[in-house]
């Protein structure tokens, strides 16, 4: 092959990059390109989107790294569906290489690009990069996708060999990427030209690009053995904080799996299980793209969620009167991140205490999370709402006060985000409405909202809603009717 176009998407790194490796290995001449896709960007509700800036900063770093090695990266702004075939034609590419993406939007976009390329006699080659095992590499004995995480994890671990996480070597011929000389109008657009604000990440502990990922990985490498013990306590520095880097591919999943496997401690093993959850949800979303809108357990689509007026707004504006929920929602608003335990608590609270449709919560997280990943978010919301694949049945309902007492025992996390509770003693910080009034002291209802709902009453309503849709306590989930697919 003469010329290849390497299309980078959510693999914004030099290290261990499958598309770069394959594209450069197979062609004499190659170009690398990234498209700020208007089909995505134009639909974003805010012009101060932190993800756009994260991508932009990562690209600045990646382009500089490529140029230092004699290479080049072209950055376009337009609809990828037309920009990629047009760019491929302009440079006379025989084929386009890209890392496979499993989200429904990406699958459709790639099919459209492949069709357009094919009409011009070119091919689109999608290679595995963002997962260890692709959606149809791990199937049950009857050849169907796993619907339950634990057997999936068992199969994943049993199949894993060293070659599955071996890195793709850094191509020696990166200078071949300079062959497509830049022409006028090829300069990387600034954020303003893209229609977005700069400075959205200022003050946040998140550094874009491979350098940011490496720093987090080094830091986490020293804490990984303690992960199992620390990960559930939001006031502690327990998790890796690598999710945004995984989302945009500024770190390779193979590097993370290698770290976990080589460390081989209990903490590393627990962390590896979380990486497998990520892959489990990617696999499910690929096989069942309709779960973006529908519960995996379809019978619960029949629930008419009351969405009581004011509930959704109180939740997203951190005014529910439940400190752990409100502190978590402020963390999200302030930083674009939320601790995993808190994602579970706030999602459960929105659905099972406030009786708001899980899809509204999923959309809100989709707008606010810098690490937003459709597969993990839809999976996490369905798990919390009790309409998903497994593990969390609908009749198990988190109590926000006992969750708070258990995972933030001294209220350290709560007080970090709710300074209005600074003077409330530990004994009442999880449920300040229970605190007796003292003259001149904290008054619940004045200094902080009274609880928006009574948990016990809300719980009873939730159980009734699920039963009305055919929920029988203890009954296992029913698999969806649609057939599995293959990557072809
Ligand atoms: C309601 C809800 C919504 C969520 N939305 C997202 C989302 O949009 N994007 C996202 O990346 N994760 C999401 N998660 C999963 C999890 O909360 C985050 O991955 C994690 O908090 C990110 O922090 P970390 O990188 O420090 O995690 P670590 O604990 O260090 O975990 C390492 C990596 O494993 C993966 N991972 C960990 N837990 C899960 C999980 N439960 N499901 C899937 N992957 C997991 C992530 O890629 C994460 O970066 C959601 C969970 C819930 C309950």
């Amino acid at each position: 092959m003469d010329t290849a176009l390497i299309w980078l998407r959510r693999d914004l790194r030099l290290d261990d990059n499958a598309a770069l490796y394959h594209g450069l290995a197979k062609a004499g001449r190659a170009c690398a390109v990234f498209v700020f896709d208007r089909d995505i960007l134009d639909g974003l509700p805010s012009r101060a989107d932190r993800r756009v800036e994260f991508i932009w900063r990562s690209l600045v770093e990646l382009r500089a790294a490529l140029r230092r090695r004699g290479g080049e990266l072209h950055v376009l702004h337009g609809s990828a569906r037309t920009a990629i075939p047009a760019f491929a034609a302009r440079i006379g590419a025989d084929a386009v290489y890209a890392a496979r993406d499993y989200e429904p939007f990406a699958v459709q976009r790639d099919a459209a690009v492949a069709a357009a390329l094919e009409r011009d006699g070119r091919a689109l080659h999608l290679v595995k990069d963002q997962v260890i095992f692709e959606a149809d590499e791990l199937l049950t004995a009857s050849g169907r996708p796993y619907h339950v995480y634990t057997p999936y994890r068992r199969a994943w671990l049993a199949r894993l060999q060293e070659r599955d996480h071996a890195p793709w070597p850094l191509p020696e011929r990166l200078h071949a990427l300079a062959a497509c000389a830049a022409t006028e109008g090829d300069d990387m657009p600034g954020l303003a030209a893209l229609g977005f604000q700069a400075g959205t990440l200022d003050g946040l502990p998140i550094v874009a690009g491979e350098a940011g990922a490496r720093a987090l990985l080094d830091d986490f490498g020293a804490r990984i053995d303690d992960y199992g013990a620390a990960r559930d306590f939001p006031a502690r520095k327990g998790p890796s904080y690598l999710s945004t880097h995984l989302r945009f591919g500024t770190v390779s999943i193979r590097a993370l799996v290698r770290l976990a496997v080589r460390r081989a401690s209990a903490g590393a093993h627990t962390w590896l299980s979380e990486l497998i959850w990520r892959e489990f949800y990617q696999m499910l979303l690929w096989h069942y793209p309709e779960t973006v809108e529908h519960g995996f357990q379809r019978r619960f689509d029949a629930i008419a969620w009351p969405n009581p007026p004011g509930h959704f707004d109180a939740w997203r504006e951190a005014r529910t009167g439940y400190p752990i929920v409100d502190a978590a929602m402020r963390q999200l608003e302030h930083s674009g991140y939320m601790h995993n335990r808190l994602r579970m608590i706030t999602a459960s609270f929105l659905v099972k205490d406030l009786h708001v449709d899980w899809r509204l919560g999923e959309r809100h997280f989709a707008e606010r999370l810098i690490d937003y990943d459709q597969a993990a978010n839809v999976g996490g919301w369905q798990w919390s709402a009790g309409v998903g694949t497994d593990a969390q049945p609908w009749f198990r309902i988190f109590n926000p006060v006992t969750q708070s007492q258990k995972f933030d025992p001294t209220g350290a996390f709560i007080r970090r985000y709710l300074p209005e509770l600074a003077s409330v003693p530990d004994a009442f910080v999880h449920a300040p409405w229970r605190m007796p009034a003292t003259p001149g002291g904290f008054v619940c209802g004045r200094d902080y909202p009274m609880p928006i709902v009574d948990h016990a009453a809300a719980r009873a309503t939730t159980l009734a809603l699920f039963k009305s849709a055919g929920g029988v306590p203890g009954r296992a989930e029913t698999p969806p009717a649609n057939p599995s697919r293959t990557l072809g």
Side-chain angles (χ1 to χ4, degrees):
M1 188 201 305
D2 240 15
T3 304
L5 177 59
I6 299 165
W7 177 19
L8 300 176
R9 295 105 67 93
R10 46 180 294 187
D11 52 345
L12 304 182
R13 65 181 186 281
L14 214 48
D15 178 51
D16 186 13
N17 184 314
L20 262 185
Y21 176 83
H22 286 290
L24 278 163
K26 304 227 170 69
R29 194 173 156 262
C31 286
V33 67
F34 177 88
V35 184
F36 276 104
D37 193 345
R38 297 196 69 143
D39 296 337
I40 300 171
L41 299 190
D42 290 354
L44 294 176
S46 164
R47 298 294 95 186
D49 196 295
R50 291 160 166 153
R51 292 163 293 198
V52 178
E53 185 160 8
F54 184 93
I55 295 171
W56 188 84
R57 288 190 187 186
S58 299
L59 288 170
V60 168
E61 187 206 62
L62 180 58
R63 198 161 73 140
L66 279 168
R67 284 180 170 177
R68 276 198 302 278
R69 291 165 174 82
E72 182 55 277
L73 174 67
H74 295 260
V75 180
L76 310 178
H77 183 209
S79 165
R81 288 176 186 237
T82 49
I84 289 296
F87 197 77
R90 176 176 140 194
I91 65 165
D94 305 284
V96 175
Y97 283 83
R100 187 176 275 115
D101 192 323
Y102 310 92
E103 289 184 2
F105 168 87
V107 171
Q108 282 177 16
R109 175 200 59 204
D110 291 352
V113 169
L117 288 170
E118 207 173 304
R119 280 196 292 276
D120 290 345
R122 306 180 217 282
L124 174 65
H125 299 298
L126 296 175
V127 295
K128 175 166 76 172
D129 183 73
Q130 70 187 42
V131 292
I132 299 294
F133 298 120
E134 294 207 285
D136 60 359
E137 283 187 282
L138 272 185
L139 297 170
T140 63
S142 56
R144 296 190 47 83
Y146 285 92
H147 293 163
V148 181
Y149 168 75
T150 305
Y152 174 81
R153 187 190 58 181
R154 215 178 292 128
W156 195 101
L157 288 169
R159 179 165 173 164
L160 186 70
Q161 299 201 7
E162 199 146 330
R163 63 164 184 263
D164 296 313
H165 50 73
W168 293 106
L170 186 67
E172 281 167 18
R173 297 174 49 249
L174 283 172
H175 53 84
L177 293 175
C180 316
T183 54
E184 214 179 318
D186 269 357
D187 264 358
M188 179 167 162
L191 276 169
L194 295 170
F196 286 86
Q197 288 168 24
T200 59
L201 299 172
D202 292 355
L204 296 180
I206 178 154
V207 179
E210 284 188 270
R214 254 193 311 274
L216 284 179
L217 200 51
D218 286 349
D219 181 61
F220 182 64
R223 298 185 281 114
I224 188 171
D225 297 343
D226 195 35
Y227 177 76
R231 71 184 182 126
D232 263 324
F233 299 91
R236 290 182 65 179
K237 196 174 169 190
S240 67
Y241 306 106
L242 276 162
S243 45
T244 303
H245 291 282
L246 269 170
R247 173 69 184 93
F248 297 112
T250 39
V251 71
S252 144
I253 182 63
R254 290 171 290 280
L256 304 193
V257 169
R258 268 198 311 282
L259 168 71
V261 167
R262 290 186 183 158
R263 188 63 67 97
S265 63
H269 191 72
T270 306
W271 192 59
L272 182 59
S273 298
E274 297 306 314
L275 299 178
I276 302 173
W277 268 112
R278 169 181 174 272
E279 216 152 294
F280 177 64
Y281 283 141
Q282 297 214 24
M283 177 276 293
L284 282 174
L285 186 60
W286 193 85
H287 281 292
Y288 305 111
E290 70 281 3
T291 54
V292 168
E293 281 298 327
H294 299 285
F296 194 85
Q297 299 185 56
R298 275 297 183 98
R299 66 198 150 127
F300 294 138
D301 274 8
I303 295 176
W305 292 103
N307 297 330
H311 276 198
F312 181 61
D313 285 346
W315 177 79
R316 67 175 172 181
E317 289 164 13
R319 292 187 283 104
T320 69
Y322 282 87
I324 194 71
V325 174
D326 293 341
M329 296 307 289
R330 282 207 192 153
Q331 180 184 38
L332 176 63
E333 207 54 35
H334 170 74
S335 68
Y337 177 83
M338 192 193 285
H339 186 277
N340 178 57
R341 171 61 47 183
L342 303 175
R343 294 188 206 208
M344 294 193 283
I345 293 173
T346 53
S348 171
F349 189 82
L350 182 71
V351 178
K352 292 177 173 173
D353 282 83
L354 298 184
H355 307 131
V356 173
D357 194 321
W358 65 270
R359 297 169 190 86
L360 285 177
E362 197 275 332
R363 288 314 312 153
H364 183 70
F365 273 24
E367 285 175 16
R368 293 294 195 278
L369 286 170
I370 309 182
D371 68 17
Y372 171 61
D373 177 278
Q374 192 173 39
N377 202 46
V378 167
W381 271 94
Q382 293 207 13
W383 184 93
S384 306
V387 303
T389 50
D390 71 291
Q392 180 74 343
W394 57 269
F395 47 86
R396 225 169 269 156
I397 297 179
F398 276 8
N399 179 321
V401 174
T402 50
Q403 286 283 314
S404 184
Q405 288 163 338
K406 190 164 173 197
F407 296 112
D408 189 28
T410 63
F413 178 83
I414 289 175
R415 290 198 190 84
R416 195 180 296 163
Y417 285 96
L418 299 178
E420 58 268 47
L421 298 184
S423 67
V424 174
D426 292 4
F428 297 107
V429 75
H430 310 284
W433 63 92
R434 293 182 186 149
M435 183 172 153
T438 50
F442 171 86
V443 178
C444 199
R446 183 194 69 188
D447 301 327
Y448 178 70
M450 290 294 282
I452 185 169
V453 289
D454 171 69
H455 173 68
R459 181 176 185 281
T461 304
T462 298
L463 293 176
L465 281 169
F466 274 95
K467 281 183 192 150
S468 74
V472 180
R475 190 169 109 187
E477 86 278 352
T478 45
N482 50 346
S484 65
R485 312 195 295 168
T486 52
L487 289 166

